[in-house]
Amino acid sequence: MQRDQSQANKAQADQSFDGLAQKFAQNIYGTGKGRIRAAVVWQDLLTCLAQLPQRPLRILDAGGGFGFFSQQLAALGHQVVLCDLSADMLDEAARQLAEQGLSDRVRLIHCAIQDLPAQLEGEFDLILCHAVLEWLSAPRDTLLSLLGFLAPEGILSLMFYNRQALLFQSLVVGNFDYIRAGLVKQRKQKLTPSNPQEPEAVYGWLTDAGMTLLGKTGVRVIHDYMRHKTDQVTKFDDLLAMEQRYCRQEPFVSLGRYVHVMARRPTAAAWPPSAATQNNTDNQSSTKRA
């Protein structure tokens, strides 16, 4: 496993999780809602892999934290580059990779996504960008910068915190003051995304860049709306089955706490130059994921 570092210019609006690696890992993937997220997104990733060349792939996990999916993809024999703004997250990734004997398949880069052009060369068959956009001050520019690393016919796996789901849940629980405040909390919480995204806007960024949308999945389309919270635990197996049953159907996709969208880059001849060269011109402030 290779470990590279760069000096990132942190913007105050973008989020790093230094000092929170263990809490983050537990809150995101060590809970029932995390198990739903992992199962639903992994199903989508397997679908993506089936549409890519059947060989060891070159994969970029941008803002991937401790590399939850990077580890699973490396275990399948793929070569992965995992970048993150948090040194603590990468230390945790290094520890877990070493325990599994996967260190030689994953290169770790300590940098912001916006700094990747100075760290990387070449193209990737698959790019993951999960739960990153909602922590950024300039999500569209950062997303477009990533597309320049995508190989012709390559696939982007993009998951983001859904503003419409946040609005709907706030409505049904009667949190009207929060809605009138524009869904902005008075006190900033480190593990609560600061910039939830409008799905239609994100889809538009991708299609405007020439990407073809392959599919959309709602992540936690039921869990967060359950009237009796104890059912989230006592009925978890049934809940997971229902999440997997309805997560790719509307209107449930649009109710997902997160939305996972998959998109393919066209052939090189059809690729818009403006999108393909964004990674050389993006000088936005630094990034981080959740």
Side-chain angles (χ1 to χ4, degrees):
M1 174 180 55
Q2 304 173 43
R3 175 74 174 271
D4 300 335
Q5 296 185 357
S6 74
Q7 186 66 37
N9 297 316
K10 289 188 179 181
Q12 188 174 6
D14 293 345
Q15 178 73 50
S16 170
F17 291 92
D18 279 334
L20 295 172
Q22 292 298 326
K23 182 177 180 180
F24 178 89
Q26 176 61 31
N27 283 12
I28 301 303
Y29 292 110
T31 61
K33 64 183 182 181
R35 290 170 61 191
I36 292 169
R37 172 168 162 174
V40 168
V41 175
W42 185 244
Q43 281 185 326
D44 282 348
L45 288 176
L46 290 177
T47 299
C48 291
L49 292 176
Q51 299 179 61
L52 290 166
Q54 299 305 296
R55 55 168 171 76
L57 301 173
R58 192 171 188 234
I59 298 173
L60 172 62
D61 191 354
F66 65 93
F68 182 85
F69 289 114
S70 288
Q71 295 177 41
Q72 296 181 68
L73 292 165
L76 294 179
H78 303 296
Q79 292 295 320
V80 182
V81 174
L82 168 62
C83 89
D84 201 90
L85 188 58
S86 167
D88 289 351
M89 285 291 184
L90 293 179
D91 287 342
E92 179 63 19
R95 184 187 68 79
Q96 294 187 20
L97 288 163
E99 286 182 351
Q100 298 174 73
L102 296 173
S103 299
D104 61 338
R105 295 182 186 170
V106 181
R107 174 186 172 190
L108 302 181
I109 302 180
H110 179 209
C111 79
I113 293 176
Q114 296 93 330
D115 294 335
L116 279 174
Q119 300 289 320
L120 286 177
E121 294 181 354
E123 297 174 321
F124 293 84
D125 302 294
L126 175 64
I127 295 178
L128 279 58
C129 185
H130 292 172
V132 174
L133 297 187
E134 57 267 23
W135 299 102
L136 303 178
S137 57
R140 176 183 175 277
D141 293 338
T142 302
L143 175 59
L144 293 179
S145 77
L146 275 179
L147 297 184
F149 288 108
L150 197 58
E153 301 296 326
I155 293 177
L156 172 72
S157 165
L158 178 69
M159 185 175 71
F160 57 89
Y161 196 62
N162 180 8
R163 192 178 192 279
Q164 294 303 318
L166 181 61
L167 173 60
F168 182 70
Q169 186 181 44
S170 300
L171 286 167
V172 298
V173 300
N175 199 351
F176 303 135
D177 288 340
Y178 180 44
I179 295 169
R180 281 189 283 266
L183 302 180
V184 177
K185 291 184 178 296
Q186 292 183 346
R187 293 184 179 181
K188 185 176 181 181
Q189 297 174 304
K190 286 186 176 293
L191 295 181
T192 300
S194 57
N195 190 15
Q197 298 297 300
E198 294 280 359
E200 292 302 323
V202 177
Y203 304 152
W205 298 341
L206 292 171
T207 56
D208 288 348
M211 299 286 287
T212 300
L213 302 187
L214 300 177
K216 304 168 187 174
T217 299
V219 180
R220 300 201 330 253
V221 302
I222 304 166
H223 175 281
D224 293 21
Y225 306 109
M226 297 184 79
R227 179 174 299 178
H228 304 295
K229 299 303 181 184
T230 55
D231 289 345
Q232 295 172 347
V233 177
T234 60
K235 298 181 180 180
F236 181 79
D237 290 343
D238 284 339
L239 171 59
L240 177 57
M242 290 297 174
E243 291 274 2
Q244 292 173 313
R245 176 176 178 178
Y246 291 106
C247 65
R248 297 174 185 89
Q249 305 176 33
E250 289 290 5
F252 307 106
V253 172
S254 296
L255 292 175
R257 178 49 56 99
Y258 289 82
V259 173
H260 182 223
V261 57
M262 295 142 283
R264 185 187 292 276
R265 173 185 164 172
T267 61
W271 186 245
S274 59
T277 59
Q278 279 288 339
N279 63 334
N280 295 320
T281 59
D282 186 318
N283 292 315
Q284 299 294 325
S285 58
S286 82
T287 164
K288 195 34 242 136
R289 85 101 59 194

